[in-house]
Amino acid sequence: MWVYRRLSAIASIILLFIVVIAVSIGLAAERRAIVAAATLRTNALAAAAAAHVQQVVGSIDLVMRSLDASPGDDYIELTRDGAALNEALNQIQAGTGALRGIGVIDRTGHLAMRAGQPYPLPVDLSDRPYFAAHRADHSLGLLLSPPVARRPDNQVAIPVSRGIRGKDGAFAGVLAATIDPGYFERFFRALGADVVAITLEDGTVLARFPETDLLAAPRVAAPAKGASGVVDFVGPSPIDGVVRFTAFRRLANAPVAVEAAINEDSVLAEWRQKRDIVGGATAAILCLGVAVLLLNARHTHELAMLRAMETTAERETLANRRKSDFLAHMSHEIRTPLNAIIGFSQMIEGEMLGPVGQPRYRGYAADILHSAEHLLGVVNNILDVSKIEAGKWVLDEAHFALFELVGDTLRLAASRAQHEGATLVFDDETPPGVRIFADRRALIQLLLNLTVNAVKFAGEDRVVRIVARLSPQGDLVVSVADRGPGMSAQDIARALRPFETPATQNARNRQDTGLGLPLAAMFASLHGGTLRLESTPARDTAAILTLPAARIDFGV
């Protein structure tokens, strides 16, 4: 008997572990799919942002080259000067929305002309890195430089420049324009990414959404020089420390890259919620497994001690103590984690914290719930039987109506009957107002065991009939009948003994624990009543409960 109990508990725990492992494998596959989708999305966002930046930079370079006498070279040879050049600069700024300004710096580094200001204030720009770069290398071509505070208005802008060559071929200055970073930021905001930025090859940030202090922003990770296509990675931002999925795309017409990123937390939030639920269920199962193993080890040790004892008195004393200890440990160590498993599986199956995603996960949750509830039912039945056998069951007696007893039973058995395709019928042949003085919980469990047992073995008509009546002596008689396969006299005797089941093929297929009917008979006996089975093989079976007249009265 004890071996059967241990094997049944261990088998149920193994089943729960298998289900949790299957769910974990599914979660891992789901995470890979989510990460792949996030990578594709960042690539698409980076491509859209890069196309926009390339178009803006290309258009600015085009209008700057419109002032060149020999387009195609890396430097500018101005075709006009004086008022004509100033007018051309005015037209370029007016027609190019991204520009904050455009002007000419002479060979000494002083601002010689600026759009809208034919005679600008004498501003020395010889310290600008882009001026020094063009002066050192006449063939440098289009150059984008780190953001600066413009002089004299201190507005932050992105310099874009080309060197100017005089008619003698010598360095003659720089044609410099400034781009408004907000022009890019407004477009980036509409893309729907969490972060979009333009960076130089050394990681310097030229423009960014969300906005940041461009003059103080730290350098970010950027693709290596010469890299082409898209570069993906996941990591924290040096600006705000947030971990993101990031894609870089390098521009074809300028030495810069465009970055698009989405926050890892927003991508994986729902998945992590599911992971935490499965983790909690797994922890509960581990606790249950440890509890069962400890109880099994304790029982094995005490059983060995029991077998070694020589006197009957010593064996009885240890057996009673072992049973009491087992009841105390079983109640806390097994039922508590089982309730946690049932709660977590109900949350997953009912999608209480949001959609699960894969329909199979709900099936896995249903399997966990069914297995845990089955194991909890077995544990409760074992505890009740052991408690009654040890003489520790104390009746909690009160008056309640017969219709309340039957009504509660029908509600509890409804889901099982629906699952089995059975119909429950109640015929009340008692006078109005019949009340019972008894332990309500025990009688509900008694009648529920009889009803569920009848549902399991209902015949082709799938009808279970419950009939209540008063005998001539005033006893309350409740019968639960089905037209199932029936039982022989030997099967009836076996069915009323704990942990034994009828030898019929139908009973073996049901894999019953053999506790429902014996427990019902014990509850009937505790109330001074009886439970008997009447059956005709291959025809019908009726379980008949009789409660003495002393427990019956009539309410007002």
Side-chain angles (χ1 to χ4, degrees):
M1 181 173 69
W2 284 101
V3 172
Y4 173 82
R5 295 178 189 177
R6 292 200 300 273
L7 291 178
S8 177
I10 292 172
S12 298
I13 293 170
I14 291 174
L15 175 61
L16 292 174
F17 267 116
I18 292 173
V19 172
V20 169
I21 290 171
V23 173
S24 300
I25 293 173
L27 282 175
E30 183 181 0
R31 188 185 189 282
R32 289 193 295 271
I34 292 173
V35 170
T39 301
L40 289 176
R41 183 183 172 205
T42 54
N43 288 342
L45 291 170
H52 174 72
V53 174
Q54 185 161 309
Q55 185 271 330
V56 171
V57 173
S59 64
I60 292 174
D61 189 31
L62 185 64
V63 296
M64 292 177 74
R65 284 179 174 275
S66 68
L67 303 175
D68 191 3
S70 56
D73 295 334
D74 292 326
Y75 46 81
I76 298 291
E77 185 176 334
L78 297 177
T79 59
R80 53 198 112 174
D81 56 14
L85 178 58
N86 184 255
E87 179 61 25
L89 294 177
N90 290 339
Q91 292 177 0
I92 290 173
Q93 180 163 334
T96 310
L99 289 183
R100 271 203 168 136
I102 185 170
V104 176
I105 304 172
D106 63 22
R107 71 179 67 232
T108 66
H110 290 82
L111 184 62
M113 185 176 294
R114 183 177 179 180
Q117 298 178 355
Y119 303 105
L121 296 174
V123 177
D124 185 3
L125 300 174
S126 60
D127 61 336
R128 296 297 196 197
Y130 61 84
F131 179 82
H134 285 295
R135 183 170 56 187
D137 185 357
H138 299 179
S139 62
L140 191 58
L142 184 69
L143 179 64
L144 271 76
S145 303
V148 297
R150 295 198 319 170
R151 297 171 187 159
D153 56 19
N154 283 328
Q155 290 185 337
V156 177
I158 306 169
V160 54
S161 57
R162 276 189 176 273
I164 300 175
R165 187 180 69 175
K167 296 184 182 298
D168 57 359
F171 174 72
V174 174
L175 177 60
T178 53
I179 302 176
D180 177 12
Y183 185 84
F184 292 119
E185 291 164 3
R186 288 187 290 274
F187 178 82
F188 294 161
R189 181 182 294 109
L191 287 179
D194 292 313
V195 172
V196 185
I198 308 172
T199 62
L200 294 175
E201 289 181 329
D202 62 0
T204 300
V205 179
L206 300 183
R208 185 180 187 271
F209 168 79
E211 295 182 11
T212 189
D213 184 355
L214 297 176
L215 299 181
R219 293 181 179 181
V220 301
K225 291 184 179 182
S228 59
V230 176
V231 179
D232 301 306
F233 75 94
V234 180
S237 167
I239 293 179
D240 55 19
V242 177
V243 177
R244 297 186 176 94
F245 292 90
T246 305
F248 283 98
R249 187 176 290 268
R250 186 175 297 282
L251 266 62
N253 59 350
V256 298
V258 177
E259 162 198 344
I262 52 179
N263 294 345
E264 184 188 51
D265 283 344
S266 62
V267 172
L268 296 176
E270 183 178 341
W271 178 88
R272 285 171 174 163
Q273 191 177 67
K274 298 176 188 177
R275 178 202 60 189
D276 292 343
I277 292 175
V278 173
T282 302
I285 292 173
L286 288 173
C287 291
L288 175 62
V290 171
V292 170
L293 291 175
L294 291 175
L295 288 173
N296 180 59
R298 182 184 180 91
H299 169 71
T300 302
H301 174 70
E302 293 191 353
L303 185 60
M305 292 178 60
L306 183 64
R307 287 173 178 170
M309 290 181 180
E310 296 179 354
T311 66
T312 302
E314 289 176 329
R315 292 182 182 179
E316 289 178 352
T317 300
L318 180 58
N320 289 334
R321 181 166 58 84
R322 180 167 53 83
K323 182 176 290 186
S324 299
D325 290 345
F326 173 80
L327 288 173
H329 284 287
M330 178 76 82
S331 176
H332 176 72
E333 298 295 339
I334 292 185
R335 285 202 281 194
T336 298
L338 270 178
N339 287 329
I341 293 170
I342 291 172
F344 277 118
S345 57
Q346 286 174 337
M347 289 176 63
I348 299 172
E349 185 183 27
E351 299 179 323
M352 295 181 184
L353 298 179
V356 174
Q358 290 288 340
R360 286 183 297 176
Y361 294 162
R362 294 187 62 188
Y364 293 151
D367 291 340
I368 296 175
L369 179 60
H370 176 74
S371 299
E373 287 178 339
H374 171 72
L375 183 56
L376 183 60
V378 172
V379 170
N380 286 336
N381 285 341
I382 293 174
L383 288 174
D384 290 345
V385 169
S386 301
K387 203 170 185 180
I388 294 173
E389 288 180 342
K392 295 187 177 182
W393 187 284
V394 179
L395 293 177
D396 182 15
E397 297 173 304
H399 285 96
F400 54 92
L402 171 63
F403 75 87
E404 294 176 351
L405 169 65
V406 177
D408 289 343
T409 302
L410 293 178
R411 280 192 293 273
L412 292 171
S415 61
R416 181 59 181 269
Q418 182 179 11
H419 178 72
E420 297 280 354
T423 301
L424 303 178
V425 178
F426 174 51
D427 294 332
D428 188 2
E429 300 176 2
T430 63
V434 172
R435 297 195 311 166
I436 307 169
F437 181 70
D439 186 330
R440 181 168 180 165
R441 182 255 186 188
L443 284 195
I444 290 175
Q445 184 65 53
L446 186 162
L447 196 54
L448 180 63
N449 286 0
L450 299 182
T451 304
V452 170
N453 195 68
V455 166
K456 290 192 291 185
F457 299 99
E460 294 182 357
D461 63 351
R462 309 307 294 162
V463 174
V464 173
R465 189 174 299 279
I466 303 172
V467 180
R469 61 182 177 82
L470 293 181
S471 72
Q473 294 78 25
D475 298 337
L476 176 63
V477 181
V478 181
S479 66
V480 181
D482 65 84
R483 294 186 175 275
M487 294 185 289
S488 65
Q490 293 81 4
D491 285 337
I492 290 176
R494 290 173 58 87
L496 290 174
R497 290 196 293 265
F499 303 103
E500 292 190 28
T501 56
T504 62
Q505 182 64 38
N506 190 288
R508 288 196 298 269
N509 291 341
R510 288 287 179 175
Q511 297 180 345
D512 191 42
T513 59
L515 287 175
L517 291 176
L519 184 59
M522 291 177 182
F523 281 141
S525 179
L526 285 175
H527 289 83
T530 61
L531 175 69
R532 73 180 190 276
L533 300 180
E534 296 180 354
S535 182
T536 303
R539 182 175 177 181
D540 56 22
T541 301
I544 302 171
L545 167 67
T546 302
L547 293 178
R551 291 189 173 275
I552 310 302
D553 66 8
F554 297 85
V556 179

